[in-house]
PDB file of all heavy atoms in Angstrom:
ATOM      1  N   PHE A   4      -6.215  62.578  36.113  1.00 91.00           N
ATOM      2  CA  PHE A   4      -6.148  61.133  36.355  1.00 91.00           C
ATOM      3  C   PHE A   4      -7.390  60.439  35.794  1.00 91.00           C
ATOM      4  O   PHE A   4      -7.285  59.416  35.105  1.00 91.00           O
ATOM      5  CB  PHE A   4      -6.013  60.841  37.856  1.00 91.00           C
ATOM      6  CG  PHE A   4      -6.015  59.369  38.188  1.00 91.00           C
ATOM      7  CD1 PHE A   4      -4.876  58.610  38.015  1.00 91.00           C
ATOM      8  CD2 PHE A   4      -7.162  58.755  38.672  1.00 91.00           C
ATOM      9  CE1 PHE A   4      -4.870  57.251  38.325  1.00 91.00           C
ATOM     10  CE2 PHE A   4      -7.177  57.412  38.980  1.00 91.00           C
ATOM     11  CZ  PHE A   4      -6.026  56.657  38.807  1.00 91.00           C
ATOM     12  N   THR A   5      -8.551  60.993  36.063  1.00 95.00           N
ATOM     13  CA  THR A   5      -9.807  60.417  35.576  1.00 95.00           C
ATOM     14  C   THR A   5      -9.827  60.398  34.054  1.00 95.00           C
ATOM     15  O   THR A   5     -10.174  59.381  33.448  1.00 95.00           O
ATOM     16  CB  THR A   5     -11.015  61.214  36.105  1.00 95.00           C
ATOM     17  OG1 THR A   5     -10.982  61.190  37.533  1.00 95.00           O
ATOM     18  CG2 THR A   5     -12.328  60.635  35.611  1.00 95.00           C
ATOM     19  N   ARG A   6      -9.443  61.477  33.440  1.00 95.00           N
ATOM     20  CA  ARG A   6      -9.400  61.555  31.977  1.00 95.00           C
ATOM     21  C   ARG A   6      -8.464  60.493  31.407  1.00 95.00           C
ATOM     22  O   ARG A   6      -8.777  59.822  30.440  1.00 95.00           O
ATOM     23  CB  ARG A   6      -8.949  62.950  31.534  1.00 95.00           C
ATOM     24  CG  ARG A   6      -8.967  63.148  30.024  1.00 95.00           C
ATOM     25  CD  ARG A   6      -8.621  64.573  29.602  1.00 95.00           C
ATOM     26  NE  ARG A   6      -9.672  65.503  30.027  1.00 95.00           N
ATOM     27  CZ  ARG A   6      -9.527  66.441  30.957  1.00 95.00           C
ATOM     28  NH1 ARG A   6      -8.382  66.598  31.571  1.00 95.00           N
ATOM     29  NH2 ARG A   6     -10.532  67.233  31.274  1.00 95.00           N
ATOM     30  N   ARG A   7      -7.320  60.324  32.053  1.00 96.00           N
ATOM     31  CA  ARG A   7      -6.333  59.342  31.577  1.00 96.00           C
ATOM     32  C   ARG A   7      -6.858  57.914  31.751  1.00 96.00           C
ATOM     33  O   ARG A   7      -6.662  57.068  30.876  1.00 96.00           O
ATOM     34  CB  ARG A   7      -5.013  59.545  32.330  1.00 96.00           C
ATOM     35  CG  ARG A   7      -3.895  58.707  31.818  1.00 96.00           C
ATOM     36  CD  ARG A   7      -3.355  59.212  30.488  1.00 96.00           C
ATOM     37  NE  ARG A   7      -2.297  58.315  30.066  1.00 96.00           N
ATOM     38  CZ  ARG A   7      -2.312  57.585  28.951  1.00 96.00           C
ATOM     39  NH1 ARG A   7      -3.282  57.704  28.083  1.00 96.00           N
ATOM     40  NH2 ARG A   7      -1.332  56.770  28.676  1.00 96.00           N
ATOM     41  N   VAL A   8      -7.525  57.627  32.856  1.00 96.00           N
ATOM     42  CA  VAL A   8      -8.117  56.297  33.066  1.00 96.00           C
ATOM     43  C   VAL A   8      -9.102  55.984  31.945  1.00 96.00           C
ATOM     44  O   VAL A   8      -9.087  54.896  31.367  1.00 96.00           O
ATOM     45  CB  VAL A   8      -8.808  56.185  34.450  1.00 96.00           C
ATOM     46  CG1 VAL A   8      -9.672  54.931  34.540  1.00 96.00           C
ATOM     47  CG2 VAL A   8      -7.770  56.195  35.567  1.00 96.00           C
ATOM     48  N   ILE A   9      -9.939  56.944  31.615  1.00 96.00           N
ATOM     49  CA  ILE A   9     -10.917  56.758  30.540  1.00 96.00           C
ATOM     50  C   ILE A   9     -10.208  56.447  29.223  1.00 96.00           C
ATOM     51  O   ILE A   9     -10.576  55.509  28.520  1.00 96.00           O
ATOM     52  CB  ILE A   9     -11.835  57.993  30.421  1.00 96.00           C
ATOM     53  CG1 ILE A   9     -12.768  58.055  31.630  1.00 96.00           C
ATOM     54  CG2 ILE A   9     -12.638  57.958  29.123  1.00 96.00           C
ATOM     55  CD1 ILE A   9     -13.518  59.362  31.765  1.00 96.00           C
ATOM     56  N   GLU A  10      -9.166  57.194  28.904  1.00 95.00           N
ATOM     57  CA  GLU A  10      -8.412  56.964  27.665  1.00 95.00           C
ATOM     58  C   GLU A  10      -7.778  55.573  27.646  1.00 95.00           C
ATOM     59  O   GLU A  10      -7.816  54.874  26.629  1.00 95.00           O
ATOM     60  CB  GLU A  10      -7.304  58.016  27.514  1.00 95.00           C
ATOM     61  CG  GLU A  10      -7.789  59.413  27.268  1.00 95.00           C
ATOM     62  CD  GLU A  10      -6.672  60.453  27.392  1.00 95.00           C
ATOM     63  OE1 GLU A  10      -5.495  60.079  27.621  1.00 95.00           O
ATOM     64  OE2 GLU A  10      -6.983  61.646  27.271  1.00 95.00           O
ATOM     65  N   ILE A  11      -7.187  55.188  28.765  1.00 96.00           N
ATOM     66  CA  ILE A  11      -6.508  53.893  28.842  1.00 96.00           C
ATOM     67  C   ILE A  11      -7.507  52.754  28.685  1.00 96.00           C
ATOM     68  O   ILE A  11      -7.284  51.822  27.901  1.00 96.00           O
ATOM     69  CB  ILE A  11      -5.727  53.766  30.171  1.00 96.00           C
ATOM     70  CG1 ILE A  11      -4.549  54.744  30.170  1.00 96.00           C
ATOM     71  CG2 ILE A  11      -5.255  52.337  30.401  1.00 96.00           C
ATOM     72  CD1 ILE A  11      -3.940  54.978  31.536  1.00 96.00           C
ATOM     73  N   VAL A  12      -8.609  52.810  29.424  1.00 97.00           N
ATOM     74  CA  VAL A  12      -9.607  51.733  29.362  1.00 97.00           C
ATOM     75  C   VAL A  12     -10.196  51.647  27.958  1.00 97.00           C
ATOM     76  O   VAL A  12     -10.370  50.543  27.424  1.00 97.00           O
ATOM     77  CB  VAL A  12     -10.693  51.909  30.447  1.00 97.00           C
ATOM     78  CG1 VAL A  12     -11.813  50.894  30.264  1.00 97.00           C
ATOM     79  CG2 VAL A  12     -10.071  51.771  31.837  1.00 97.00           C
ATOM     80  N   LYS A  13     -10.479  52.787  27.340  1.00 96.00           N
ATOM     81  CA  LYS A  13     -10.988  52.768  25.966  1.00 96.00           C
ATOM     82  C   LYS A  13      -9.996  52.124  25.005  1.00 96.00           C
ATOM     83  O   LYS A  13     -10.383  51.575  23.982  1.00 96.00           O
ATOM     84  CB  LYS A  13     -11.315  54.186  25.484  1.00 96.00           C
ATOM     85  CG  LYS A  13     -12.634  54.698  25.965  1.00 96.00           C
ATOM     86  CD  LYS A  13     -12.953  56.024  25.299  1.00 96.00           C
ATOM     87  CE  LYS A  13     -14.398  56.376  25.537  1.00 96.00           C
ATOM     88  NZ  LYS A  13     -14.805  57.539  24.746  1.00 96.00           N
ATOM     89  N   GLY A  14      -8.705  52.196  25.332  1.00 95.00           N
ATOM     90  CA  GLY A  14      -7.666  51.672  24.464  1.00 95.00           C
ATOM     91  C   GLY A  14      -7.318  50.214  24.663  1.00 95.00           C
ATOM     92  O   GLY A  14      -6.472  49.672  23.940  1.00 95.00           O
ATOM     93  N   ILE A  15      -7.942  49.556  25.635  1.00 96.00           N
ATOM     94  CA  ILE A  15      -7.648  48.133  25.847  1.00 96.00           C
ATOM     95  C   ILE A  15      -8.213  47.359  24.660  1.00 96.00           C
ATOM     96  O   ILE A  15      -9.415  47.420  24.395  1.00 96.00           O
ATOM     97  CB  ILE A  15      -8.264  47.604  27.160  1.00 96.00           C
ATOM     98  CG1 ILE A  15      -7.743  48.392  28.356  1.00 96.00           C
ATOM     99  CG2 ILE A  15      -7.962  46.105  27.315  1.00 96.00           C
ATOM    100  CD1 ILE A  15      -8.462  48.081  29.658  1.00 96.00           C
ATOM    101  N   PRO A  16      -7.359  46.643  23.940  1.00 96.00           N
ATOM    102  CA  PRO A  16      -7.847  45.927  22.754  1.00 96.00           C
ATOM    103  C   PRO A  16      -8.825  44.804  23.097  1.00 96.00           C
ATOM    104  O   PRO A  16      -8.737  44.191  24.162  1.00 96.00           O
ATOM    105  CB  PRO A  16      -6.572  45.333  22.148  1.00 96.00           C
ATOM    106  CG  PRO A  16      -5.430  45.974  22.832  1.00 96.00           C
ATOM    107  CD  PRO A  16      -5.938  46.476  24.148  1.00 96.00           C
ATOM    108  N   GLU A  17      -9.738  44.550  22.198  1.00 95.00           N
ATOM    109  CA  GLU A  17     -10.660  43.432  22.333  1.00 95.00           C
ATOM    110  C   GLU A  17      -9.838  42.155  22.480  1.00 95.00           C
ATOM    111  O   GLU A  17      -8.844  41.962  21.785  1.00 95.00           O
ATOM    112  CB  GLU A  17     -11.550  43.348  21.096  1.00 95.00           C
ATOM    113  CG  GLU A  17     -12.624  42.294  21.198  1.00 95.00           C
ATOM    114  CD  GLU A  17     -13.577  42.327  20.023  1.00 95.00           C
ATOM    115  OE1 GLU A  17     -13.960  43.426  19.593  1.00 95.00           O
ATOM    116  OE2 GLU A  17     -13.932  41.229  19.551  1.00 95.00           O
ATOM    117  N   GLY A  18     -10.251  41.293  23.395  1.00 96.00           N
ATOM    118  CA  GLY A  18      -9.542  40.042  23.622  1.00 96.00           C
ATOM    119  C   GLY A  18      -8.380  40.173  24.587  1.00 96.00           C
ATOM    120  O   GLY A  18      -7.621  39.237  24.785  1.00 96.00           O
ATOM    121  N   SER A  19      -8.252  41.343  25.211  1.00 97.00           N
ATOM    122  CA  SER A  19      -7.184  41.596  26.181  1.00 97.00           C
ATOM    123  C   SER A  19      -7.785  42.147  27.466  1.00 97.00           C
ATOM    124  O   SER A  19      -8.916  42.626  27.478  1.00 97.00           O
ATOM    125  CB  SER A  19      -6.191  42.620  25.637  1.00 97.00           C
ATOM    126  OG  SER A  19      -5.553  42.152  24.484  1.00 97.00           O
ATOM    127  N   VAL A  20      -6.998  42.081  28.534  1.00 97.00           N
ATOM    128  CA  VAL A  20      -7.414  42.636  29.821  1.00 97.00           C
ATOM    129  C   VAL A  20      -6.271  43.453  30.404  1.00 97.00           C
ATOM    130  O   VAL A  20      -5.126  43.312  29.982  1.00 97.00           O
ATOM    131  CB  VAL A  20      -7.825  41.535  30.831  1.00 97.00           C
ATOM    132  CG1 VAL A  20      -9.038  40.764  30.352  1.00 97.00           C
ATOM    133  CG2 VAL A  20      -6.661  40.604  31.139  1.00 97.00           C
ATOM    134  N   MET A  21      -6.613  44.291  31.351  1.00 97.00           N
ATOM    135  CA  MET A  21      -5.629  45.004  32.163  1.00 97.00           C
ATOM    136  C   MET A  21      -6.094  44.912  33.606  1.00 97.00           C
ATOM    137  O   MET A  21      -7.286  44.732  33.881  1.00 97.00           O
ATOM    138  CB  MET A  21      -5.518  46.473  31.742  1.00 97.00           C
ATOM    139  CG  MET A  21      -4.906  46.677  30.370  1.00 97.00           C
ATOM    140  SD  MET A  21      -4.739  48.417  29.931  1.00 97.00           S
ATOM    141  CE  MET A  21      -3.250  48.811  30.840  1.00 97.00           C
ATOM    142  N   THR A  22      -5.160  45.062  34.527  1.00 96.00           N
ATOM    143  CA  THR A  22      -5.530  45.071  35.940  1.00 96.00           C
ATOM    144  C   THR A  22      -5.828  46.505  36.379  1.00 96.00           C
ATOM    145  O   THR A  22      -5.365  47.461  35.762  1.00 96.00           O
ATOM    146  CB  THR A  22      -4.404  44.496  36.818  1.00 96.00           C
ATOM    147  OG1 THR A  22      -3.279  45.368  36.765  1.00 96.00           O
ATOM    148  CG2 THR A  22      -4.030  43.077  36.382  1.00 96.00           C
ATOM    149  N   TYR A  23      -6.573  46.619  37.477  1.00 96.00           N
ATOM    150  CA  TYR A  23      -6.872  47.936  38.027  1.00 96.00           C
ATOM    151  C   TYR A  23      -5.570  48.681  38.330  1.00 96.00           C
ATOM    152  O   TYR A  23      -5.438  49.866  38.028  1.00 96.00           O
ATOM    153  CB  TYR A  23      -7.703  47.821  39.309  1.00 96.00           C
ATOM    154  CG  TYR A  23      -9.062  47.214  39.108  1.00 96.00           C
ATOM    155  CD1 TYR A  23      -9.325  45.893  39.475  1.00 96.00           C
ATOM    156  CD2 TYR A  23     -10.098  47.956  38.557  1.00 96.00           C
ATOM    157  CE1 TYR A  23     -10.577  45.331  39.302  1.00 96.00           C
ATOM    158  CE2 TYR A  23     -11.359  47.407  38.374  1.00 96.00           C
ATOM    159  CZ  TYR A  23     -11.593  46.092  38.745  1.00 96.00           C
ATOM    160  OH  TYR A  23     -12.832  45.529  38.557  1.00 96.00           O
TER     161      TYR A  23
END
Side-chain angles (χ1 to χ4, degrees):
F4 177 79
T5 301
R6 184 176 293 112
R7 187 74 181 118
V8 168
I9 290 168
E10 292 169 3
I11 292 165
V12 173
K13 280 187 167 189
I15 301 171
E17 185 174 319
S19 297
V20 296
M21 292 182 80
T22 66
Y23 296 103

